[in-house]
Each structure stands twice: as C-alpha cells, then as structure tokens.
Amino acid sequence: KQEVTQIPAALSVPEGENLVLNCSFTDSAIYNLQWFRQDPGKGLTSLLLIQSSQREQTSGRLNASLDKSSGRSTLYIAASQPGDSATYLCAVILLNSGNTPLVFGKGTRLSVIA
Amino acid sequence: DTGVSQNPRHKITKRGQNVTFRCDPISEHNRLYWYRQTLGQGPEFLTYFQNEAQLEKSRLLSDRFSAERPKGSFSTLEIQRTEQGDSAMYLCASSRDRGSGYTFGSGTRLTVV
C-alpha cells in the first residue's frame, strides 16, 4: 500500500526566507506526483505536476523536484511571502494503479510571518 | 471554463437526515473523483467515475453513501441517515486522463449536528 509522508507537519518562517517542504512515498513505481496548495476551509489548488520521467518543474517562485529511486519530492519556495501561508499537500499516482487515484500526504502547514 | 464547481459550499444537517451534493467537472474531463477530508488530514479517496461508469469505490464508501454521474456530466454524492462522523469536507476533482493532473473544486463542508 502506497504511503505518503510530509515533513515537517508545520513550519513558520519570516517573510523573505527560502524554504523546502519534503514529501516521501513508499512505492517508487509512480506515474506522476502533484503538489497542491490548500487555504483554510477551501479546496485544493494545483501548483505543479511532475511526470515520472521528469526530475523537476518550475512555476514562478516554486520549484518541485522528484527523485523516484529514493521515493522523495521537494517543493522549494523562494523569497516567501505572507500570501504563501497555507497547507501544502503532495499526492502520487501509482504506475500500475489502474483506476487508483491520487494518494495524499497529510500536508505541511506553512505560516510566513511579515 | 470556470473549473470544477461544487454545490452547496456549506451544509448543516441534523443527524439522520439525507444530504446530496453536486459536482460539475471541467467539461472536457471524462474522469471524476470524490474525496473526503477531515481536519488535519489529507483527502481520502471515495469513488471514481469514467464518463458515466463508476469504476472504483473505496471501503470508506459505506452503504449509506451513493454516487451517480448520469450522462457522464455532473455527479451527485448522497449520504443517507447522516451520522456525526460524516462531518467533513467533501471534495470533487476531475481530470482529462491519468497523466494530466487533477483539478479540484472548492468543496462542500458538511456539519452533522
């Protein structure tokens, strides 16, 4: 059974800092990995999608990397802003999952202090 | 295209009542998913449709839960005889195919009192 772990569970940083959020998964045979952002009481907003053949994706101040062999992904946020405060979730689809959907971690709750 | 739409945004119901939620996916997406999320947890899969066919159901989907997707367009999730443990955020997502990523709606927050 695929398990997804996100460390740390919560993180508080001052504005302007660069930071890294970690995601690990137990089964390295993944189809792709997706990072999401969730604001309190809201739905999920897709940030980055990394296909299994890719090693990283970038969007603005965000960079996500993928190392399938070690079962890890990182989300790098540059020059953090108070508006980045949210919960960040990573999720994977298994390679041989058929119809099995995204499996999520519990998320990292980020607070950026002005 | 306005993304994935869910209604209502919030629902408060008394224990034992039935509730129904609606999800309108992105029009060209033939895959539709329902998830449930409780406080401090990641979303958990409930069920999956490809067009109008319900192809996968989680063990979380008890007999009190039923989902439909008539004509392969919008979907409904019904919970019968609600219990306090059903209180959660119910999220709907759609995708074009397995590799193209998921788009989620804003969710329906259910509170059973």
Side-chain angles (χ1 to χ4, degrees):
Chain A
K1 178 188 171 187
Q2 176 73 279
E3 293 184 0
V4 179
T5 303
Q6 292 189 246
I7 294 173
L11 181 63
S12 183
V13 299
E15 181 178 7
E17 268 203 12
N18 302 326
L19 58 100
V20 174
L21 307 181
N22 296 293
C23 172
S24 61
F25 43 94
T26 53
D27 188 340
S28 62
I30 65 168
Y31 195 83
N32 59 32
L33 183 146
Q34 197 166 358
W35 281 94
F36 296 89
R37 167 187 172 137
Q38 186 173 33
D39 294 293
K42 305 294 185 182
L44 279 64
T45 300
S46 179
L47 297 174
L48 290 164
L49 171 68
I50 310 178
Q51 303 293 344
S52 62
S53 58
Q54 298 173 322
R55 293 192 64 84
E56 66 178 326
Q57 281 285 339
T58 298
S59 176
R61 295 182 294 108
L62 305 180
N63 176 276
S65 67
L66 174 63
D67 183 346
K68 277 198 315 178
S69 61
S70 66
R72 293 183 179 184
S73 176
T74 61
L75 179 66
Y76 175 83
I77 302 177
S80 58
Q81 303 171 358
D84 295 330
S85 298
T87 296
Y88 291 80
L89 295 153
C90 77
V92 299
I93 294 180
L94 291 175
L95 185 61
N96 299 314
S97 63
N99 296 320
T100 304
L102 284 172
V103 178
F104 282 87
K106 293 184 178 181
T108 294
R109 189 172 66 254
L110 173 66
S111 297
V112 180
I113 311 300
Chain B
D1 186 0
T2 57
V4 177
S5 176
Q6 290 189 247
N7 289 288
R9 293 293 304 275
H10 305 275
K11 179 71 176 178
I12 300 175
T13 191
K14 291 183 179 180
R15 189 175 52 190
Q17 297 294 307
N18 299 343
V19 294
T20 300
F21 311 140
R22 176 177 171 128
C23 172
D24 288 89
I26 293 174
S27 57
E28 62 264 29
H29 288 184
N30 59 15
R31 296 176 175 230
L32 185 147
Y33 309 84
W34 285 98
Y35 283 78
R36 181 173 71 184
Q37 186 180 27
T38 53
L39 198 61
Q41 302 296 314
E44 296 174 297
F45 168 71
L46 293 178
T47 191
Y48 158 63
F49 289 86
Q50 185 160 338
N51 299 311
E52 67 276 9
Q54 188 174 18
L55 298 183
E56 189 94 8
K57 290 196 292 186
S58 162
R59 289 173 298 174
L60 293 176
L61 213 66
S62 74
D63 292 344
R64 296 184 297 106
F65 288 68
S66 63
E68 295 182 341
R69 192 182 182 195
K71 302 178 183 178
S73 55
F74 71 92
S75 176
T76 58
L77 178 67
E78 181 183 17
I79 308 174
Q80 296 182 329
R81 304 181 303 281
T82 52
E83 302 172 355
Q84 286 188 320
D86 296 331
S87 296
M89 172 77 86
Y90 289 84
L91 295 161
C92 176
S94 69
S95 68
R96 189 178 65 244
D97 53 52
R98 190 159 74 119
S100 60
Y102 287 45
T103 302
F104 278 80
S106 298
T108 293
R109 167 74 64 188
L110 173 66
T111 302
V112 182
V113 298

